[in-house]
Amino acid sequence: QVQVVESGGGLVQPGGSLRLSCAASGSIAIIYHMRWYRQAPGKQREFVAISTRSGSTDYADSVKGRFTISRDNAKNTVYLQMNSLKPEDTAVYYCNAVLLSSAEYWGQGTQVTVSS
């Protein structure tokens, strides 16, 4: 059993910042990828950022230069620093952990609302 728990969401004004955290726990051998996705009301879930175990990162074009993903392998935790937030960043943000076995686990999501 693997649990993935996101935290750090909230309400922020446009131009503000938030830092999301995602911690994986349970029967974990090795976590390979950790990814962030988001889903806005009425829209499909979309990729935001990825951090591989080797340290590589990649981002959706819509967040490049504003969001930064980082990872603590010892804690099985990934972070998403979000700066210069825009109203269109409003969504539920989900964390996805992919184990070396290719099994995937999702968190319940954390709400991010960007509004004045």
Side-chain angles (χ1 to χ4, degrees):
Q1 191 75 9
V2 176
Q3 297 80 40
V4 177
V5 179
E6 304 97 337
S7 61
L11 173 64
V12 63
Q13 291 186 342
S17 298
L18 279 176
R19 187 192 193 211
L20 305 183
S21 299
C22 168
S25 61
S27 302
I28 298 172
I30 296 177
I31 295 180
Y32 193 46
H33 297 318
M34 293 191 82
R35 298 180 282 207
W36 286 98
Y37 286 77
R38 67 186 182 186
Q39 188 166 18
K43 294 187 177 181
Q44 289 188 330
R45 190 172 297 189
E46 64 176 4
F47 166 78
V48 175
I50 183 173
S51 172
T52 70
R53 188 167 182 83
S54 64
S56 299
T57 60
D58 198 12
Y59 301 88
D61 288 343
S62 58
V63 307
K64 279 182 181 177
R66 300 187 298 122
F67 291 10
T68 302
I69 189 170
S70 60
R71 179 170 171 172
D72 185 336
N73 286 330
K75 296 181 178 180
N76 290 323
T77 298
V78 68
Y79 307 94
L80 187 68
Q81 178 66 44
M82 306 186 295
N83 298 327
S84 302
L85 283 161
K86 305 174 181 180
E88 51 263 44
D89 294 317
T90 295
V92 177
Y93 283 70
Y94 296 92
C95 180
N96 168 259
V98 182
L99 305 189
L100 200 58
S101 64
S102 298
E104 292 192 37
Y105 296 89
W106 291 87
Q108 292 299 307
T110 184
Q111 176 70 46
V112 172
T113 302
V114 184
S115 175
S116 55

